[in-house]
Amino acid sequence: MSERARLTRLTGNDPDECGQGDCPNVYRTEKGTFVVQGDVFDGFTPPSGEGLVEIPEEILREAVRALGW
């Protein structure tokens, strides 16, 4: 099973908004952590092994709704 298959997709489920599903998204891992997919943010350089992404506010709101918070 691929690593991506182990993620629960919380956002970007509307094909009219995301086309092939490669727009910004938030995923939940089996450990309860989150993976964020989005445009690379280059406002500063993170420590080695870390990365930054910038996502629209609506994506976080959609993730919160999906979790029922």
Side-chain angles (χ1 to χ4, degrees), residues 6-23:
R6 296 173 193 238
L7 301 173
T8 300
R9 188 178 188 152
L10 301 175
T11 60
N13 293 311
D14 183 345
D16 293 334
E17 292 182 20
C18 290
Q20 297 299 316
D22 289 333
C23 60

Side-chain angles (χ1 to χ4, degrees), residues 10-11 59-69:
L10 301 175
T11 60
I59 295 299
L60 289 178
R61 290 182 180 278
E62 187 178 345
V64 167
R65 283 192 301 269
L67 290 169
W69 293 352

Side-chain angles (χ1 to χ4, degrees), residues 3-58:
E3 289 300 316
R4 187 171 184 168
R6 296 173 193 238
L7 301 173
T8 300
R9 188 178 188 152
L10 301 175
T11 60
N13 293 311
D14 183 345
D16 293 334
E17 292 182 20
C18 290
Q20 297 299 316
D22 289 333
C23 60
N25 286 297
V26 177
Y27 301 87
R28 189 170 192 177
T29 69
E30 294 173 329
K31 299 183 296 184
T33 60
F34 296 91
V35 174
V36 179
Q37 172 189 350
D39 296 326
V40 174
F41 178 77
D42 60 3
F44 68 92
T45 303
S48 179
E50 295 183 6
L52 304 169
V53 296
E54 185 173 9
I55 62 170
E57 179 181 334
E58 181 54 33

